[in-house]
Amino acid sequence: MTVRAVKGMNDILPAEVGRWHHLEQHFRSMAEKHGYAEVRTPVVEPTGLFVRSIGEATDIVEKEMYSFERHGDALTLRPEGTAGAVRAYVEHHVHTQEPVTRWYYMGPMFRGERPARGRYRQFYQLGCEIYGDAGPAADAEMIDMLVQFFRSIGIADLEVLVNSLGGAQTRPRYREALREHLLPRRDLLSDDSKRRLDTNPLRILDSKDERDIAALDGAPSITEVLDGDDLAHWSQLQQDLDLLGTPYRKEPKLVRGLDYYTRTLFEIRTSAGEVGAQNAIGGGGRYDGLVQELGGPSVPAIGFALGVERILLAMPEPDVEPPFLCAIAPIGARAAGQALILARELRAGGLRVDVDTRGAAGASVKAMLRRANAIHARVCLVLGDSELDAGQVQIKDLAARTQTVVPRADVVQHVLSLQAQGGPSGGHA
Ligand code: AMP
């Protein structure tokens, strides 16, 4: 019986990993330029952490978590990164060490969703969190950073949706207003939304079901009922985004699937590349109450998460030169040993080296050269008994299709000078 990967969980093979590195390096560099430092938290957390933060009446907690029991503890594979980051922030009393904390993270998340293109059960997120700054300038900078980031990796076709969910004063009032609008239309709603009407009416706003969309016609919008500080925050955010020239569209129906959000909420969508129809590649928002909810001090916060697989579908092929690679083809066992020593010297000189160790057991030079071409080596050093006896190495330039014989002592210098000259890498097999 062959064993297959779990449905919705993918292998990322080396041929694709270059694109992942490109994206991760861009993200890391962008986050660090904006003062974020990386945090790494466990993939497994106590189940209660997610129930308390994400919220009981959310799709994630209701039906998507990978939960299990071990050693008497109820545990869950993290479905998102914010809850664990907040737990770590509280647990390590980070607020006593600095007034404002900027963290970023990258890693796998787990949700038992129905797998589809761009939707998996193990998927990767890149995220940022700011703790300790309640003002709308932090929100604007974060949204602007995302737009700059997507443009820098070649995704220019972006839609930035923003909304405000209000705060402690506004939200309960809006929830009631929405419920009042929907109660007389209860029978028109989908079954899910009938249930949400009692548990979490705001979630009905982002339902894709035609019946729910029709029932919402004429419903009050949350930004209409904002007042006081909630309204001031929302207005200032828009002014800041206008000042920065950040493109955005106000979307009063944007709620997103997590309960902990307050005030600013945003989502980035694109239909670039292979993503298909307009699809969310990231989103986030403010969660001013969550740190306290999880047992910490009253510290405001805001964050976002981006979906790596979806960004990779949207991202054009990065234009990167394949790195210079030096292959060594040893002929016979004695030469193979010497090839390993030579490789060590070349690597110490900063080169990437592939020794075809099959040569020790008699692989032919032809076979080894074919492989050197296939792995895009730029040069191949051929080393046999006659070269060893003469104290020389044969250097084949696979791009220029030329060859020279160089004294053993000069090999590292010679290959380094070929690397410095640049030029194309070797051909294909
Ligand atoms: P969320 O954590 O739900 O706010 O999602 C943030 C981003 O993560 C989304 O915009 C998606 O790009 C990505 N994402 C969420 N769920 C999945 C999934 N099941 N598979 C792949 N990407 C996902």
Side-chain angles (χ1 to χ4, degrees):
M1 190 196 76
T2 51
V3 180
R4 302 184 65 96
V6 176
K7 194 170 164 213
M9 303 197 181
N10 302 310
D11 299 312
I12 295 124
L13 298 179
E16 293 166 69
V17 161
R19 281 168 67 73
W20 286 68
H21 284 169
H22 179 79
L23 177 57
E24 287 161 1
Q25 280 158 13
H26 260 72
F27 179 77
R28 195 182 280 287
S29 135
M30 183 229 28
E32 289 178 359
K33 272 188 208 162
H34 284 76
Y36 294 86
E38 184 178 357
V39 65
R40 299 188 186 196
T41 63
V43 167
V44 176
E45 295 278 1
T47 300
L49 173 67
F50 302 116
V51 176
R52 274 171 65 191
S53 56
I54 299 170
E56 226 147 343
T58 56
D59 286 351
I60 292 181
V61 171
E62 276 180 354
K63 52 191 183 203
E64 294 172 359
M65 293 205 302
Y66 284 92
S67 300
F68 57 99
E69 202 203 276
R70 184 58 32 101
H71 310 306
D73 294 324
L75 305 174
T76 292
L77 299 184
R78 63 180 181 193
E80 55 99 55
T82 296
V86 173
R87 181 204 43 72
Y89 178 85
V90 172
E91 186 165 336
H92 300 281
H93 311 286
V94 180
H95 74 285
T96 61
Q97 297 146 36
E98 53 193 21
V100 176
T101 296
R102 287 174 170 235
W103 279 354
Y104 76 92
Y105 61 85
M106 349 217 282
M109 308 295 160
F110 303 84
R111 294 183 199 170
E113 297 194 74
R114 198 171 45 77
R117 184 176 184 75
R119 189 170 62 227
Y120 310 105
R121 291 180 169 169
Q122 174 172 333
F123 59 98
Y124 290 75
Q125 287 189 332
L126 309 171
C128 285
E129 318 281 355
I130 302 177
Y131 304 95
D133 187 343
D139 312 16
E141 190 200 40
M142 194 175 250
I143 295 170
D144 183 57
M145 171 174 89
L146 282 177
V147 171
Q148 307 294 338
F149 169 63
F150 284 123
R151 286 180 180 159
S152 78
I153 55 168
I155 306 177
D157 160 28
L158 292 173
E159 196 174 26
V160 182
L161 308 180
V162 294
N163 192 24
S164 173
L165 284 185
Q169 314 132 15
T170 325
R171 187 101 76 97
R173 245 183 326 113
Y174 179 65
R175 194 179 289 131
E176 270 325 296
L178 187 63
R179 207 200 299 267
E180 263 169 44
H181 171 87
L182 288 172
L183 269 177
R185 296 168 176 81
R186 190 189 180 100
D187 292 344
L188 304 173
L189 293 173
S190 67
D191 289 344
D192 267 351
S193 289
K194 279 185 188 129
R195 203 164 39 84
R196 289 187 190 125
L197 195 50
D198 303 316
T199 55
N200 197 351
L202 259 61
R203 285 303 315 281
I204 302 175
L205 288 174
D206 69 349
S207 165
K208 306 273 180 295
D209 193 298
E210 292 296 332
R211 291 167 290 180
D212 299 334
I213 293 171
L216 282 167
D217 197 37
S221 117
I222 185 151
T223 43
E224 283 166 19
V225 305
L226 292 180
D227 61 10
D229 293 344
D230 289 342
L231 179 61
H233 190 102
W234 175 230
S235 310
Q236 187 60 48
L237 169 63
Q238 293 170 66
Q239 280 180 43
D240 290 348
L241 290 174
D242 290 340
L243 177 72
L244 288 163
T246 311
Y248 66 96
R249 178 163 71 75
K250 289 185 266 178
E251 176 47 72
K253 285 195 176 141
L254 183 68
V255 255
R256 314 200 70 249
L258 304 100
D259 263 5
Y260 50 60
Y261 287 122
T262 51
R263 293 190 174 165
T264 307
L265 203 59
F266 52 93
E267 190 162 281
I268 316 257
R269 298 183 186 164
T270 185
S271 52
E274 309 281 303
V275 157
Q278 191 77 321
N279 213 332
I281 47 176
R286 224 167 229 295
Y287 49 94
D288 290 339
L290 187 58
V291 177
Q292 196 164 32
E293 170 68 28
L294 293 179
S298 170
V299 171
I302 179 168
F304 67 78
L306 310 180
V308 171
E309 288 86 347
R310 281 192 210 168
I311 296 173
L312 290 172
L313 287 172
M315 187 178 87
E317 206 51 53
D319 186 18
V320 282
E321 285 263 309
F324 185 98
L325 174 64
C326 170
I328 306 183
I331 306 163
R334 184 172 148 235
Q338 292 305 311
L340 295 178
I341 291 173
L342 176 57
R344 209 155 61 180
E345 288 172 27
L346 289 158
R347 291 181 189 125
L351 289 153
R352 284 159 40 103
V353 185
D354 178 282
V355 183
D356 199 333
T357 44
R358 297 176 306 165
S364 71
V365 175
K366 195 172 158 218
M368 291 190 281
L369 281 172
R370 199 181 312 126
R371 177 164 171 271
N373 274 302
I375 59 177
H376 305 299
R378 170 63 201 289
V379 292
C380 185
L381 314 186
V382 180
L383 198 57
D385 283 340
S386 55
E387 281 85 1
L388 288 181
D389 292 340
Q392 293 174 329
V393 172
Q394 193 189 127
I395 300 186
K396 287 179 181 293
D397 185 325
L398 299 177
R401 297 182 185 275
T402 55
Q403 57 186 49
T404 46
V405 173
V406 172
R408 170 66 178 80
D410 299 344
V411 172
V412 176
Q413 215 38 55
H414 191 90
V415 177
L416 281 172
S417 71
L418 283 174
Q419 182 187 34
Q421 281 166 26
S425 62
H428 301 250

